[in-house]
Amino acid sequence: MRRDIKIGLIGMGTVGTGVAKILLEKKGLLELKVGVPLILEQAADRHLDRPRPVDLSGVKLTENPEDVVNNPKIDILVELIGGYEPARTFILKAISKGKHIVTANKALLATFGEEIFSAAYEKGVDIAFEASVGGGIPLIKGIKEGLVANNIECMFGILNGTANYILTKMTDEGITFGAALRDAQRRGYAEADPRFDVEGIDTAHKLAILTALAYGTPLNLDQIYVEGISYITPLDIQFARELGYRIKLLAISRLRGKDIETRVHPTMIPESHLLANVNGAYNALLIRGDSVGDVLFYGLGAGMMPAGSAVVSDIVDLSRNLIKGGVQRVPALAYMPGGRKKKSVIPIDNLESCYYFRFSALDQPGVLAKIAGILGGYKISIASVIQKGRKIRGSVPIVMLTHRAKEAYVRQALKEIDELEVVRGKTVSIRMEDNLDAL
Ligand code: HSE
């Protein structure tokens, strides 16, 4: 019987600090739940003198993560450095030494996950990554274990707290994109490179992980279609609102026969839907299983303590495995390695969606007819049109909603429309998802 479990932590930034705080300050509670003490044996960070809201006096500290990776006493290595390298090398090295791994590194797993997961499988160690998607929400465990009886049919996720915070601020307060981003950064939600948040890349990393878990397909980051939120203006948010919609950066993944679709883009969703009311730094994942129906996970997707909560839940899972000798009891990617099969991803051009278009066009006779003519030529059917205000000279916004139209045709139609003499500026197009409940 083990007397304790020893944990090594590399990376003491926001999340690492949260993990240390929980391990040290809730030691008693965790021991009651695990049976033996979880000891934070050693921690590494480049900035050891940085003030932190936790007393680390009882923890061996080092500036060199290699010290932790090579420490023979450590059972579980927690990687919270982030980024690709040296995180990848440290994880692979720790695996080769037989250590179990906990990481929150979605970028690394989405990109090099196949290499890392197979190294862990071959070596007979566990790797857990609850905090990589949805911060504190236990959705990975939910998919792997709670929903194990289901074929997953589709998922709709709000998976980036920063982007959601920005869109919420823009919607509620009418502030600019830049001001909302700075506010999110001050609150510690944003990635080191905020383009990952606002350009949809972080959401795509998370969707790649979820898609692999849900459908048993290899990680497919490079096949995910990605658009960010930086082109969304307060004007579009205002129009969406008047039409009864909210704009959310949505991760969508759906089974289509034997194939799947996977995409990340700003999406207009009906304001009455639960997902439209997931605001601020909150994340949510709506997941549909063929037995269970719809399940909604909701919670804080970023921040020191929520992400720390998820990391510690992984530490506890792996500790329990170690104590009972049940390593690799639950496959890291939900399916047994032999049961994972590649699914084809449908190219975005072949998908259909309803659209919101905002044209900037001169307010002259015949302009609408020209635009409508081009749309009609590409079999794009108009559902409604709004023009507000009147300008004798200069352009006015004309908003159109369409019925379902093929993506490739939309692209070609907008290219032609944007070349018209009477159209000033690039047309804004936002996909709409009206039928989140009944697909
Ligand atoms: N930057 C991420 C977010 C942190 O804003 O959601 C959590 O992954």
Side-chain angles (χ1 to χ4, degrees):
M1 177 68 186
R2 284 173 169 273
R3 298 166 59 121
D4 59 28
I5 301 287
K6 292 200 167 52
I7 295 139
L9 178 56
I10 57 174
M12 292 275 290
T14 306
V15 182
T17 302
V19 172
K21 218 169 145 50
I22 295 173
L23 287 176
L24 296 169
E25 294 174 7
K26 295 187 175 171
K27 204 162 173 244
L29 175 74
L30 293 169
E31 186 172 343
L32 289 177
K33 294 186 179 188
V34 178
V36 301
L38 302 180
I39 310 289
L40 180 54
E41 178 70 20
Q42 194 173 20
D45 195 75
R46 270 182 307 181
H47 309 287
L48 288 177
D49 46 1
R50 184 162 47 191
R52 290 190 175 82
V54 54
D55 177 8
L56 293 170
S57 52
V59 182
K60 228 178 282 157
L61 298 175
T62 171
E63 284 183 353
N64 184 4
E66 298 256 13
D67 294 345
V68 185
V69 174
N70 293 325
N71 184 338
K73 287 192 188 154
I74 283 166
D75 302 298
I76 299 173
L77 181 86
V78 181
E79 182 277 312
L80 297 170
I81 296 176
Y84 304 114
E85 286 294 354
R88 172 179 158 273
T89 302
F90 289 146
I91 287 179
L92 290 172
K93 194 160 180 194
I95 290 172
S96 75
K97 290 175 179 290
K99 297 190 193 311
H100 303 274
I101 306 292
V102 174
T103 178
N105 196 333
K106 56 259 156 136
L108 179 68
L109 293 182
T111 314
F112 296 103
E114 292 299 332
E115 178 193 23
I116 292 169
F117 287 115
S118 61
Y121 183 71
E122 297 298 324
K123 187 70 188 176
V125 299
D126 269 322
I127 172 158
F129 47 97
E130 185 62 68
S132 65
V133 183
I137 314 168
L139 52 77
I140 290 182
K141 197 177 176 72
I143 295 171
K144 291 206 293 196
E145 301 187 46
L147 299 177
V148 69
N150 290 265
N151 288 302
I152 305 299
E153 296 176 350
C154 57
M155 298 187 283
F156 300 96
I158 294 171
L159 301 175
N160 184 274
T162 304
N164 202 42
Y165 182 83
I166 290 171
L167 289 172
T168 304
K169 275 268 179 191
M170 289 174 75
T171 305
D172 291 350
E173 296 171 26
I175 63 170
T176 64
F177 173 82
L181 171 61
R182 282 191 293 281
D183 192 2
Q185 284 174 309
R186 266 199 303 275
R187 286 165 190 263
Y189 304 146
E191 295 298 304
D193 180 349
R195 281 177 309 173
F196 273 39
D197 296 302
V198 298
E199 296 306 339
I201 302 161
D202 175 75
T203 303
H205 290 149
K206 293 165 177 168
L207 184 61
I209 294 170
L210 292 179
T211 301
L213 290 169
Y215 308 115
T217 190
L219 290 151
N220 66 346
L221 180 64
D222 52 359
Q223 290 179 294
I224 297 178
Y225 175 81
V226 187
E227 257 176 40
I229 60 166
S230 54
Y231 71 89
I232 302 293
T233 65
L235 187 60
D236 298 307
I237 287 179
Q238 184 57 30
F239 272 120
R241 210 187 185 129
E242 286 175 27
L243 292 160
Y245 290 85
R246 292 282 183 275
I247 300 175
K248 293 289 179 189
L249 180 62
L250 215 59
I252 302 172
S253 158
R254 197 184 265 142
L255 200 57
R256 295 254 186 219
K258 286 194 162 54
D259 304 334
I260 49 172
E261 58 170 278
T262 53
R263 49 198 168 112
V264 173
H265 50 69
T267 311
M268 280 174 48
I269 56 179
E271 66 185 358
S272 57
H273 195 274
L274 283 169
L275 284 180
N277 296 288
V278 173
N279 289 320
Y282 278 85
N283 281 199
L285 180 72
L286 174 65
I287 181 161
R288 182 164 306 142
D290 61 349
S291 298
V292 71
D294 282 358
V295 173
L296 183 68
F297 292 93
Y298 170 83
L300 276 173
M304 180 183 289
M305 300 317 285
S309 160
V311 170
V312 173
S313 84
D314 279 344
I315 294 172
V316 165
D317 251 5
L318 302 199
S319 300
R320 286 170 169 160
N321 287 352
L322 282 169
I323 291 162
K324 293 286 180 189
V327 165
Q328 294 193 341
R329 191 183 64 83
V330 179
L333 283 167
Y335 285 68
M336 293 304 288
R340 300 176 68 221
K341 298 266 176 325
K342 187 171 168 46
K343 292 213 178 329
S344 297
V345 175
I346 303 170
I348 186 81
D349 273 358
N350 296 349
L351 295 178
E352 287 189 352
S353 189
C354 296
Y355 277 86
Y356 158 99
F357 296 143
R358 178 170 57 78
F359 306 104
S360 302
L362 295 184
D363 198 4
Q364 289 173 359
V367 169
L368 214 47
K370 273 192 188 135
I371 292 174
I374 293 175
L375 293 175
Y378 285 100
K379 302 192 186 118
I380 301 166
S381 170
I382 299 164
S384 58
V385 182
I386 311 173
Q387 182 192 323
K388 279 222 189 120
R390 178 91 228 263
K391 265 204 187 140
I392 306 302
R393 271 179 286 277
S395 57
V396 285
I398 299 173
V399 167
M400 275 186 196
L401 303 187
T402 75
H403 294 296
R404 290 183 81 78
K406 195 170 161 187
E407 181 89 26
Y409 292 159
V410 167
R411 221 180 286 269
Q412 290 169 45
L414 292 189
K415 187 167 180 292
E416 266 184 45
I417 289 169
D418 285 353
E419 283 165 5
L420 290 174
E421 184 74 6
V422 291
V423 170
R424 304 290 157 95
K426 195 167 165 354
T427 298
V428 172
S429 70
I430 304 174
R431 295 171 193 81
M432 306 173 75
E433 282 286 339
D434 270 311
N435 293 324
L436 289 162
D437 287 324
L439 295 162

